Amino acid sequence: RKEVEQDPGPFNVPEGATVAFNCTYSNSASQSFFWYRQDCRKEPKLLMSVYSSGNEDGRFTAQLNRASQYISLLIRDSKLSDSATYLCVVLDNYGQNFVFGPGTRLSVLP
Amino acid sequence: NAGVTQTPKFQVLKTGQSMTLQCAQDMNHNSMYWYRQDPGMGLRLIYYSASEGTTDKGEVPNGYNVSRLNKREFSLRLESAAPSQTSVYFCASIRTGGISTEAFFGQGTRLTVV
């Protein structure tokens, strides 16, 4: 089993749609969780950290369920500019190793 | 504000050739990492350096060597390139701090081994 697994995608949604991405991780001792965004042929960039209580940043909401080892990202009112690959990232319990999921590609269509 | 500078951006090698990928950061971070990214695989850790003078193997270290030259620079060397090393390579510099931890990436090196 991979350490971090994500919805395989791709997700093709119309502008204005709400879309949710799911991620599961296998190391129960993992300590920190993140969503990164990667545009085509570009480097990954931090989208948001995921707090235990859940957190929101504008149209983006991240949730963490430690018991189920599950992380989610919800994008509301999606824009064309949201088209990218979304990477679920888990920092291991030593705080040293970022483990990346394979990513879920999102295409927002006009 | 350069952040993480990675060179070269593109490279084509013949099987058996060697090359060094360079990475430098100006953010005074202790930790630096090298990843490779292949389609459908996500980023996989090759080597990392938690501080100047230390390096450790990641998930896929075979065929690679690294040097943490100083706090700023962390290079990745392919001694004898193989087609299986065709990939996109990313260097990252890490700001550590629990939930505030963040990885800052270079622009990537697209390497093709023929």
Side-chain angles (χ1 to χ4, degrees):
Chain A
R1 183 183 169 191
K2 290 182 183 175
E3 286 192 63
V4 180
E5 299 194 54
Q6 295 185 240
D7 291 331
F11 283 50
N12 298 314
V13 303
E15 267 186 293
T18 295
V19 60
F21 300 135
N22 301 314
C23 170
T24 57
Y25 60 95
S26 61
N27 183 354
S28 60
S30 299
Q31 57 173 248
S32 301
F33 310 89
F34 310 88
W35 285 100
Y36 275 69
R37 171 193 168 127
Q38 186 174 23
D39 293 305
C40 187
R41 301 181 71 81
K42 298 286 190 180
E43 72 274 22
K45 292 184 179 177
L46 179 66
L47 176 67
M48 60 196 300
S49 303
V50 185
Y51 298 101
S52 294
S53 55
N55 50 299
E56 188 173 306
D57 183 3
R59 298 181 293 107
F60 298 83
T61 301
Q63 296 280 354
L64 169 64
N65 184 324
R66 283 189 184 269
S68 301
Q69 296 178 208
Y70 169 88
I71 307 158
S72 67
L73 176 68
L74 184 76
I75 305 176
R76 292 181 300 278
D77 187 24
S78 52
K79 312 290 185 191
L80 295 175
S81 57
D82 293 333
S83 296
T85 297
Y86 290 84
L87 304 169
C88 177
V89 184
V90 174
L91 185 61
D92 71 9
N93 45 305
Y94 299 105
Q96 293 284 8
N97 188 10
F98 279 87
V99 182
F100 285 77
T104 302
R105 188 155 60 87
L106 171 67
S107 293
V108 180
L109 308 172
Chain B
N1 186 3
V4 179
T5 303
Q6 193 179 329
T7 58
K9 288 189 171 54
F10 301 93
Q11 184 71 51
V12 179
L13 290 178
K14 292 183 179 178
T15 298
Q17 286 186 316
S18 62
M19 78 163 294
T20 300
L21 282 66
Q22 307 285 356
C23 177
Q25 53 96 4
D26 62 4
M27 294 174 283
N28 202 36
H29 295 157
N30 287 319
S31 296
M32 297 182 73
Y33 290 58
W34 276 105
Y35 289 93
R36 62 177 287 173
Q37 186 174 33
D38 301 292
M41 301 285 290
L43 279 83
R44 292 182 292 168
L45 183 64
I46 305 171
Y47 271 92
Y48 68 97
S49 172
S51 62
E52 185 179 352
T54 69
T55 61
D56 286 285
K57 294 179 180 180
E59 181 186 354
V60 289
N62 291 342
Y64 305 96
N65 285 302
V66 290
S67 295
R68 185 70 183 268
L69 304 169
N70 47 56
K71 192 170 187 178
R72 290 188 63 249
E73 298 173 286
F74 187 38
S75 62
L76 177 72
R77 182 159 179 83
L78 287 71
E79 290 291 352
S80 179
S84 61
Q85 294 178 303
T86 294
S87 188
V88 181
Y89 292 85
F90 287 102
C91 174
S93 179
I94 312 297
R95 180 187 69 205
T96 53
I99 198 65
S100 299
T101 301
E102 183 173 352
F104 297 84
F105 287 87
Q107 291 183 309
T109 297
R110 283 169 175 74
L111 174 66
T112 301
V113 182
V114 297

